[in-house]
Amino acid sequence: MRRFCSHMALNAKMSFKDKSSLFWSFIYPILLLTLMVIAFSGVQTEQKPIAVAVEPGHPFADVFRQIKMLDVKDVNGDEAFTLLRDKDIDGIYRVDGVLLVRGSGVNETILREIGSELTKVSSVYAAGRSLDFTKRYVERGDQKEGMLYVTLSASLGMFALYGYFSGVLIVHHMQANLSPLAARLSTTPISRISYVTAGLVSGVAMSSLQTIGLLFYLKWVWKVDYLADPWRTLLLVLAASFFGIAIGLFIGASNKWPLKAKVPLGVALMLLLSAASGMMGPPMRLFIENKLPWLNRYNPVNMISRTIYRLNVIGSTTEFTENILILFIAGVVLCVASLLFMRKRQFKSL
Amino acid sequence: MTVLKTYMKLLVKNSYAVLPFFVIFMVLSVLIGQGVGGGSTQVFQATRMDVVISSSSENALVSDFATWLESQGHTVTHTMMTEKEAREEIFLERVQAAYLFSDTETELPVVLADQKSGAGYYAGAMAETFFRFRDAYRLEDGTIDRASLFEVLSQEMKVEIDAPEDTDGTESGVATVVGSMSGAAYVLLAVSLSVLPLVNEAFTRPGVFERSVTAPYKVNKRVFELYLGSGIVVFVSAAALFGLSFITMYHYITPSHLGRVAVNYLAYVLCVLAIGNIVSNLTRNRAAISAISTVFSLGLSFVSGAFVPQELVSESVLKVSKAFPMYYYIRANRNSLVWEDMVPDILTQLIFFAVYVGVAIVLQRFAGRARKTIKTTTSLASDIGA
């Protein structure tokens, strides 16, 4: 046990001394999350009024000015056309009753909807009926489905797997044919299983602490609460960290590629998985969901990010147990496979 | 051409490390582009939504509302679900909004959607409009004059799409161009900022550097060949990425539109080449190179609006992004229907390129001096056996 503890302390010490590990585990996630929150913080505000021009003499001109959703610009003729083509306004309500727009987006649809509604309203009054604008007909329930929540949960899913780098490092400390340090260690009476297990435990602890730190950072600094269900979230983070390290162990042990190849490979692979999960905006995630649904079902970043979102934003435990079990079992399988690759063997030369 | 040959040999030697990285980023580029594919039409099409209506009993109100939504082109699914289940459906992006009707007439139906988004506003406004008009057509006996109601509701404002005479292409085509070319821009930046500094770093290692400076090889020629090698890497990557983006774009783009996009891309590629050379001169630490390339490329893409439309990025962040060429590259692609609208942004990128080349040259001189000083005072003499 003492040997195990000393190996754990050694692993933790080496991780803290390795500037590269510290950067990828702590500084990079904070930098990226901060950038994301700052970049998308504008998305979280209310839907902005839609800029529109109304030609003089339009029958609904005065009504348009009273609608909060519209930002009516008092321009006409060529000036209005210029604004439309420069994308400073989304449409022009022409005096002939036609709405002129640039394309078929949501803003243009809302403009048409407002124009159509006013046309309908005048028909209703012309038919001798009246509309009750004081009465509320629907209750609006909000769903925090904004881009910020999707991208942040996908990023958290990615960072939760950054234990990968610890996993790769453990192997590079143990496999004699991978690094000079490992070659020296292989000549010492060090217990391989104790060293790997200690590395695994310290790696899981550090990776979990890093993810929890990020969750607190988002909650306290940016007021994005992904800790509404702390215990289940903690369990998920532990399972994710274990799985991340297991992938690192497996990729580290299964081939002879140098560290300089395995680190960028991990970074790129995780970027790809997190992009599929929505880190680079919802369109790509939707494309994957529609065309390759199986990919995102078993995409570990997506499994983690969705579960974090479900637990803390929707308050749902759907797929929680299933995802934890999948991550844990897959992690165990990868660890066993890695140990097989790392079993004692003799090298002709090093 | 010894230096260039060595440059290429280094690339080939390290291909096992570079290739998987490159392939993964290529896949990423294709996926980013595919995610934003759009139709190419000059006819206005209102936003169509997938909505779910949850009601325990099939009453006239629910059925009228569903009929009207369907007549508007929306896809309506009838299913009984709790609010939590509806939230799950919206989260999974299977539907954009859920209309939850309660058992009692007195309780108002709930419109569940992201109320801060345009779609959320639209979903709520549609329901509000329908129920208000339905209420207006309630007869004295409490029944609804459905014929008149639906006649009024079918009235729509006529919409035309503004297509300037000098426009070549469609707005939806532009959306596809912006999406796929932004993906290519991000990947090119990430790959170039990783590969160029790493290969250049190999030339500064002890031994290689000393042999280089003592060899009868002109410094200018050596630097030129290093730049040539960097250029080959960047332009070959750029060509591959452009080819992949073309797969996504070719349905929606005319040859002249493609030409304009290509010119804009060329200006951006030059900027990337220059930035790559700056980073090469700034650091020779492998870990730092990896960190800089990932943070810089991803961060810049986020703030410049490469992954989401620029109008969704907050104003203050966009102001920061104006200090980098990617913002102008994306804006030029957004204006790519008219050549005149693109020109200022392309020129701005060329100015960035000129500035970056200047900075790279200055850095190269300083970096060279620093190394020369260190080497001559410490190891060089012994290394060459003097």
Side-chain angles (χ1 to χ4, degrees):
Chain A
M1 192 63 194
R2 187 190 276 176
R3 189 173 58 183
F4 179 79
C5 290
S6 118
H7 285 161
M8 248 178 72
L10 184 70
N11 267 297
K13 207 171 161 183
M14 282 200 292
S15 300
F16 278 116
K17 276 191 172 176
D18 183 8
K19 284 178 191 162
S20 171
S21 288
L22 283 180
F23 174 82
W24 289 112
S25 308
F26 294 98
I27 299 166
Y28 171 63
I30 288 180
L31 266 177
L32 198 64
L33 288 179
T34 308
L35 266 174
M36 278 178 179
V37 179
I38 293 172
F40 298 137
S41 53
V43 182
Q44 288 301 292
T45 54
E46 295 281 317
Q47 161 84 22
K48 284 181 191 164
I50 303 166
V52 67
V54 182
E55 284 190 350
H58 194 288
F60 302 137
D62 291 334
V63 188
F64 286 137
R65 281 189 183 82
Q66 288 166 23
I67 297 174
K68 277 185 189 169
M69 193 63 198
L70 299 182
D71 173 18
V72 178
K73 308 275 182 196
D74 289 315
V75 286
N76 54 54
D78 289 344
E79 202 181 343
F81 277 114
T82 312
L83 286 178
L84 184 68
R85 285 174 188 176
D86 289 348
K87 301 182 182 175
D88 291 327
I89 56 172
D90 287 307
I92 303 171
Y93 284 115
R94 283 196 331 220
V95 74
D96 60 0
V98 173
L99 169 66
L100 189 67
V101 292
R102 273 195 325 266
S104 305
V106 175
N107 279 3
E108 287 83 354
T109 304
I110 292 175
L111 287 181
R112 187 192 72 149
E113 202 58 30
I114 291 172
S116 303
E117 190 170 343
L118 290 175
T119 315
K120 288 169 197 166
V121 169
S122 47
S123 300
V124 170
Y125 282 105
R129 296 183 178 277
S130 62
L131 292 156
D132 186 356
F133 285 99
T134 57
K135 191 173 165 187
R136 218 156 49 107
Y137 289 91
V138 290
E139 195 83 55
R140 293 187 188 227
D142 199 5
Q143 163 107 354
K144 287 174 182 168
E145 177 49 25
M147 200 175 292
L148 181 66
Y149 283 86
V150 176
T151 50
L152 284 183
S153 61
S155 313
L156 283 171
M158 177 175 83
F159 296 136
L161 292 181
Y162 266 25
Y164 165 88
F165 300 110
S166 304
V168 169
L169 273 179
I170 294 169
V171 177
H172 275 251
H173 290 163
M174 286 309 293
Q175 280 281 73
N177 59 340
L178 292 180
S179 71
L181 174 65
R184 284 210 299 277
L185 281 176
S186 67
T187 59
T188 60
I190 198 167
S191 163
R192 196 169 283 260
I193 192 90
S194 161
Y195 189 85
V196 173
T197 319
L200 196 68
V201 173
S202 69
V204 169
M206 284 197 40
S207 174
S208 304
L209 277 176
Q210 167 232 324
T211 314
I212 292 164
L214 291 177
L215 291 169
F216 276 113
Y217 171 72
L218 284 177
K219 184 176 178 173
W220 288 335
V221 179
W222 298 106
K223 313 291 174 214
V224 179
D225 189 5
Y226 279 128
L227 281 166
D229 187 345
W231 298 113
R232 284 198 184 90
T233 308
L234 178 65
L235 191 58
L236 177 71
V237 167
L238 283 171
S241 303
F242 171 64
F243 179 72
I245 292 176
I247 303 175
L249 284 176
F250 181 76
I251 292 185
S254 60
N255 56 72
K256 288 181 193 170
W257 287 4
L259 205 56
K260 68 181 179 187
K262 286 171 186 166
V263 169
L265 180 72
V267 172
L269 198 62
M270 281 183 210
L271 265 178
L272 182 69
L273 293 177
S274 54
S277 174
M279 192 184 84
M280 292 173 183
M284 188 164 151
R285 175 181 152 182
L286 270 178
F287 174 77
I288 300 277
E289 294 279 349
N290 293 331
K291 306 282 179 187
L292 308 163
W294 53 269
L295 176 68
N296 258 359
R297 176 64 195 95
Y298 297 105
N299 170 359
V301 175
N302 195 48
M303 284 161 64
I304 298 162
S305 68
R306 279 189 176 188
T307 313
I308 286 179
Y309 184 96
R310 278 193 185 114
L311 287 175
N312 299 297
V313 181
I314 307 180
S316 156
T317 52
T318 311
E319 291 181 6
F320 171 73
T321 316
E322 197 183 333
N323 285 348
I324 293 271
L325 282 175
I326 290 175
L327 289 172
F328 185 72
I329 292 169
V332 169
V333 170
L334 288 172
C335 281
V336 172
S338 312
L339 283 173
L340 287 178
F341 281 116
M342 281 194 284
R343 70 190 183 277
K344 271 193 175 175
R345 61 186 132 149
Q346 288 188 327
F347 298 97
K348 278 183 183 169
S349 65
L350 285 172
Chain B
M1 286 288 158
T2 315
V3 174
L4 182 64
K5 277 182 195 165
T6 314
Y7 196 107
M8 292 301 140
K9 273 183 188 166
L10 273 169
L11 269 180
V12 174
K13 193 183 165 193
N14 290 298
S15 57
Y16 63 88
V18 176
L19 265 181
F21 179 73
F22 197 72
V23 169
I24 288 172
F25 272 98
M26 290 289 165
V27 173
L28 193 55
S29 154
V30 173
L31 288 177
I32 293 171
Q34 288 289 337
V36 290
S40 57
T41 173
Q42 288 282 22
V43 181
F44 177 78
Q45 289 178 333
T47 301
R48 307 276 183 247
M49 294 202 297
D50 294 322
V51 300
V52 64
I53 291 182
S54 168
S55 168
S56 55
S57 57
E58 188 60 28
N59 57 41
L61 177 80
V62 175
S63 113
D64 282 354
F65 183 51
T67 309
W68 180 65
L69 284 176
E70 278 164 357
S71 74
Q72 298 289 300
H74 304 292
T75 307
V76 181
T77 311
H78 294 265
T79 179
M80 184 59 205
M81 56 173 61
T82 60
E83 187 180 326
K84 208 174 247 187
E85 286 165 342
R87 284 185 184 280
E88 175 79 14
E89 288 294 299
I90 296 172
F91 167 58
L92 292 173
E93 293 177 64
R94 290 182 187 145
V95 295
Q96 278 93 53
Y99 297 99
L100 309 173
F101 290 84
S102 67
D103 298 338
T104 55
E105 289 274 327
T106 48
E107 271 186 66
L108 297 177
V110 176
V111 185
L112 197 62
D114 179 9
Q115 298 294 346
K116 284 166 189 138
S117 70
Y121 174 85
Y122 182 42
M126 277 199 309
E128 194 89 41
T129 303
F130 177 81
F131 296 126
R132 181 170 290 123
F133 279 82
R134 193 175 183 276
D135 209 20
Y137 281 88
R138 193 180 294 278
L139 301 172
E140 283 176 359
D141 61 354
T143 56
I144 304 291
D145 180 2
R146 299 179 74 245
S148 306
L149 171 69
F150 280 99
E151 192 189 322
V152 167
L153 286 174
S154 65
Q155 293 177 13
E156 296 291 351
M157 177 170 260
K158 198 180 167 202
V159 185
E160 284 177 8
I161 290 189
D162 171 48
E165 282 168 12
D166 52 350
T167 300
D168 170 39
T170 61
E171 278 288 339
S172 45
V174 168
T176 313
V177 167
V178 172
S180 53
M181 293 310 291
S182 298
Y186 158 62
V187 172
L188 182 68
L189 193 61
V191 169
S192 304
L193 291 193
S194 302
V195 177
L196 297 195
L198 284 177
V199 178
N200 275 291
E201 182 266 347
F203 282 91
T204 62
R205 280 184 208 155
V208 179
F209 177 78
E210 282 84 350
R211 283 202 296 278
S212 301
V213 292
T214 52
Y217 211 75
K218 282 185 180 172
V219 177
N220 289 349
K221 203 175 169 196
R222 196 172 70 227
V223 172
F224 171 73
E225 285 179 35
L226 276 176
Y227 277 135
L228 198 62
S230 305
I232 290 172
V233 171
V234 173
F235 278 96
V236 168
S237 311
L241 286 164
F242 192 74
L244 288 174
S245 303
F246 183 68
I247 296 171
T248 312
M249 297 188 298
Y250 80 97
H251 280 306
Y252 314 108
I253 198 165
T254 60
S256 50
H257 191 181
L258 184 70
R260 292 194 296 277
V261 171
V263 171
N264 183 36
Y265 187 57
L266 185 65
Y268 175 75
V269 172
L270 288 172
C271 291
V272 171
L273 179 60
I275 297 172
N277 281 317
I278 289 178
V279 176
S280 304
N281 289 317
L282 271 180
T283 180
R284 289 182 171 84
N285 180 321
R286 280 177 170 270
I289 289 168
S290 216
I292 289 173
S293 74
T294 310
V295 174
F296 188 74
S297 57
L298 205 54
L300 195 58
S301 303
F302 269 117
V303 299
S304 302
F307 302 137
V308 291
Q310 282 181 336
E311 58 262 35
L312 290 183
V313 180
S314 55
E315 289 286 327
S316 49
V317 174
L318 274 185
K319 275 181 193 160
V320 175
S321 70
K322 282 178 186 171
F324 299 97
M326 192 186 259
Y327 170 84
Y328 300 95
Y329 165 76
I330 294 169
R331 200 169 68 173
N333 279 333
R334 284 159 63 89
N335 294 327
S336 59
L337 287 181
V338 183
W339 170 245
E340 283 75 18
D341 293 349
M342 296 177 79
V343 173
D345 289 326
I346 294 175
L347 287 177
T348 312
Q349 289 176 71
L350 292 176
I351 293 169
F352 270 107
F353 169 64
V355 172
Y356 289 155
V357 168
V359 173
I361 290 169
V362 171
L363 282 176
Q364 173 102 29
R365 282 181 168 267
F366 276 115
R369 271 184 210 166
R371 274 200 308 277
K372 218 175 272 179
T373 315
I374 295 164
K375 299 290 177 185
T376 45
T377 52
T378 56
S379 60
L380 186 60
S382 58
D383 280 353
I384 61 173

